Amino acid sequence: MSIIKLLSKKVAKALFTTPSHNQKPSFNKNYSSFYEHDFSEIEGFDNLSNPKSSILLAQGKASEILGTKQTYFITQGATTALLAAMKAIINPADKVLVARNCHKSVYNGLILTASMVDWFIPESNEDWGFYTHISEEKLESTLQLNQYKAFIMTSPTYEGINSNIEKISQICKKYNVFLIVDEAHGALYNFSHKLPKSAIEQGADITINSLHKTAGALNQTALLNINKDIRNIELNEFQNAINLFQTTSPSYPLLRNIEECLTYLNSKQGKNEIDKLLIEIKKFKDELKHFDIDFYEASNQDITKIILRKNGLNCSKLSEILYNEFDIEDEMNSSNYCLFLTGIGTKSSKLNKLKNALKKIENSDNYEFEKYQFQPYPLVKIQPINAFNRDYKFVNKDEAILKISNKIIMPYPPGIGLLYPGEAIQEWHLKYLEDDVEIMV
């Protein structure tokens, strides 16, 4: 019996168990449908930490849909999936190569695994101001010179730029390196041939999907996927690692939501909705190209991420105008671009609202886009595990050059660190620091 069928059954027993709400809201009746399915692990219900019935069946169905050896349901977000993936394969003092545009949760995983990090700098686009893809040539040169347990990277990036995972996977296997791909923003890839292939299809050992970002599921729903061809590790290592981070009070409404989401995406209706979205995005772009709107477009881009700018207008100001005058909020913006995220649930009416607003906004500032200067290669003086909970003091910003930072400097979104604890402060960082800087002693 699946999670959906299990939660649809009427439970007649008087439950003197958690949760205490007895499947009925006491303070907000709008949540009634959610409460109806919110049980604890009562008799007859499966256990997420050791699934043997409905959850096992649902995860098995997901594995068939996604073409994996095992897919685990995660109800605490892609962060938990990433931490579990790292903990399952990385041991203390193992050396790990990490792309610098990875989410901050990877840095947290470096602390939790007590591993040693080397940073890998992705390719970048100075005109638009964001990282793009991983160079296979540079990666192979790096792996030739060092022994790493794993390479951790993000594809697609926050802006939807995909790397050639097939070639990267071949390189990693050549040097016996596990490939972990944070594919949080790529949850739709298995369900449309018009989108890039999933990282699992291209040979990645482990991938992480976030179902709420583009796939229409609730916040905190995620997947941890294991490739059928993964070597040198047993599946129980992943379940054991998940159990270290996972709550012992799992959310059955979220588990059901994961199962329903995947079932819908794999249906004819779900696939048609994705294709319809892609058609609407193309129409949206075609109609705006005559209104001083530039779009970032590349062959390796996920087109559900709309990246644009209006000529002559600072994009941070453009974002402010959209928010204050048209009630439209972007996902992220900088001086050089605005990012609009779409996915399951994005209707043509929403795209039309944005399109009409962009047509009305005048580019009266004559702003000239400047090439973005990317951060220099990080100078790691103290490894993450040793930098955690160190003593510190404050110094004036003018005295901070080459001192060791005790703080993370990170714009959010996208949650990518410009400076991590244990790294030397370089001149480039000063513009992001406050007058008093926290350094290690």
Side-chain angles (χ1 to χ4, degrees):
M1 184 181 295
S2 72
I3 299 171
I4 297 171
K5 291 181 180 179
L6 181 68
L7 292 178
S8 297
K9 292 181 66 179
K10 186 174 179 62
V11 177
K13 296 181 177 64
L15 298 177
F16 290 89
T17 65
T18 60
S20 66
H21 53 59
N22 201 35
Q23 289 69 56
K24 294 179 182 178
S26 57
F27 50 84
N28 190 330
K29 304 303 180 185
N30 293 329
Y31 294 142
S32 58
S33 61
F34 198 90
Y35 272 80
E36 287 170 6
H37 300 130
D38 190 34
F39 293 91
S40 62
E41 295 166 313
I42 59 175
E43 190 67 32
F45 280 50
D46 207 354
N47 187 315
L48 186 58
S49 298
N50 185 25
K52 294 182 178 179
S53 56
S54 60
I55 297 174
L56 183 66
L57 179 66
Q59 291 185 157
K61 181 182 176 184
S63 184
E64 290 179 11
I65 291 172
L66 300 175
T68 65
K69 184 174 186 177
Q70 180 69 47
T71 289
Y72 297 94
F73 289 1
I74 306 294
T75 60
Q76 291 166 237
T79 289
T80 292
L82 265 168
L83 295 178
M86 293 176 69
K87 189 65 176 175
I89 66 170
I90 300 170
N91 296 314
D94 278 347
K95 204 170 183 181
V96 184
L97 185 65
V98 178
R100 189 63 179 190
N101 63 335
C102 280
H103 187 264
K104 68 173 185 177
S105 55
V106 175
Y107 179 82
N108 295 338
L110 295 171
I111 296 173
L112 291 166
T113 57
S115 52
M116 306 294 108
V117 66
D118 279 346
W119 294 101
F120 185 89
I121 307 300
E123 301 303 290
S124 57
N125 187 306
E126 293 180 346
D127 290 331
W128 287 84
F130 49 73
Y131 288 114
T132 55
H133 65 284
I134 298 296
S135 163
E136 304 100 70
E137 293 79 12
K138 290 181 182 178
L139 176 63
E140 178 148 27
S141 295
T142 303
L143 297 186
Q144 283 176 339
L145 299 174
N146 299 275
Q147 285 189 320
Y148 294 106
K149 185 67 172 289
F151 175 46
I152 306 173
M153 59 172 290
T154 301
S155 182
T157 65
Y158 202 79
E159 295 80 13
I161 313 303
N162 287 270
S163 296
N164 189 331
I165 301 298
E166 184 173 357
K167 288 187 178 179
I168 291 170
S169 171
Q170 292 170 359
I171 294 167
C172 287
K173 287 179 172 60
K174 179 178 177 180
Y175 295 96
N176 199 30
V177 174
F178 284 104
L179 175 59
I180 302 174
V181 179
D182 179 354
E183 197 182 34
H185 283 264
L188 297 180
Y189 288 2
N190 285 87
F191 308 101
S192 175
H193 68 276
K194 297 177 183 178
L195 293 171
K197 283 187 176 181
S198 72
I200 281 287
E201 288 180 281
Q202 296 184 71
D205 293 305
I206 305 162
T207 68
I208 291 90
N209 296 135
S210 178
L211 293 179
H212 77 266
K213 289 182 170 67
T214 59
L218 290 168
N219 269 311
Q220 294 186 207
T221 54
L223 304 172
L224 174 58
N225 304 303
I226 314 301
N227 196 299
K228 290 178 180 178
D229 297 326
I230 198 168
R231 69 260 180 243
N232 302 331
I233 189 167
E234 300 295 328
L235 282 180
N236 67 299
E237 295 294 332
F238 292 99
Q239 185 66 65
N240 291 340
I242 291 169
N243 292 345
L244 287 176
F245 305 105
Q246 180 173 261
T247 176
T248 55
S249 301
S251 169
Y252 282 91
L254 291 182
L255 290 171
R256 174 174 179 162
N257 190 249
I258 292 172
E259 185 179 20
E260 289 178 321
C261 175
L262 290 174
T263 300
Y264 176 74
L265 291 176
N266 197 47
S267 69
K268 183 177 180 180
Q269 182 182 356
K271 292 177 181 179
N272 285 342
E273 183 170 350
I274 296 172
D275 287 342
K276 184 179 178 182
L277 170 66
L278 302 182
I279 292 170
E280 292 294 335
I281 291 172
K282 186 179 185 306
K283 286 170 57 180
F284 169 86
K285 290 182 175 181
D286 288 344
E287 289 188 37
L288 282 172
K289 285 182 177 177
H290 304 292
F291 289 86
D292 287 324
I293 301 292
D294 283 340
F295 293 96
Y296 177 86
E297 294 180 302
S299 59
N300 60 346
Q301 184 191 7
D302 177 349
I303 61 174
T304 65
K305 310 293 189 301
I306 300 174
I307 304 171
L308 61 80
R309 60 191 181 194
K310 194 171 181 72
N311 291 325
L313 188 61
N314 185 309
C315 291
S316 294
K317 184 174 181 180
L318 172 61
S319 174
E320 185 179 324
I321 294 171
L322 287 169
Y323 185 83
N324 291 328
E325 299 183 20
F326 297 94
D327 295 324
I328 296 172
E329 185 169 354
D330 55 24
E331 172 68 14
M332 185 179 71
N333 65 83
S334 71
S335 59
N336 281 22
Y337 70 95
C338 291
L339 168 64
F340 301 88
L341 186 149
T342 70
I344 296 296
T346 303
K347 304 301 181 186
S348 58
S349 57
K350 186 188 287 188
L351 287 169
N352 286 335
K353 182 175 182 178
L354 175 59
K355 177 185 66 180
N356 292 331
L358 290 167
K359 287 181 178 180
K360 293 175 183 177
I361 296 172
E362 296 183 1
N363 52 347
S364 56
D365 282 1
N366 294 318
Y367 179 81
E368 293 187 10
F369 298 109
E370 298 179 357
K371 290 186 180 297
Y372 183 79
Q373 291 186 335
F374 288 85
Q375 58 181 306
Y377 190 85
L379 302 177
V380 179
K381 298 296 185 181
I382 302 176
Q383 287 289 333
I385 181 61
N386 298 319
F388 188 66
N389 280 346
R390 289 282 291 250
D391 290 335
Y392 63 92
K393 68 178 182 179
F394 288 96
V395 300
N396 186 276
K397 182 164 67 173
D398 295 335
E399 303 171 5
I401 294 290
L402 295 184
K403 300 290 194 302
I404 300 174
S405 177
N406 192 58
K407 280 287 189 182
I408 294 177
I409 305 299
M410 176 182 299
Y412 208 98
I416 297 170
L418 304 179
L419 181 67
Y420 286 108
E423 295 178 357
I425 298 167
Q426 302 180 59
E427 186 174 354
W428 183 89
H429 298 118
L430 295 182
K431 59 187 173 183
Y432 298 100
L433 302 179
E434 297 177 351
D435 290 337
D436 292 323
V437 180
E438 196 173 294
I439 65 168
M440 294 183 181
V441 295

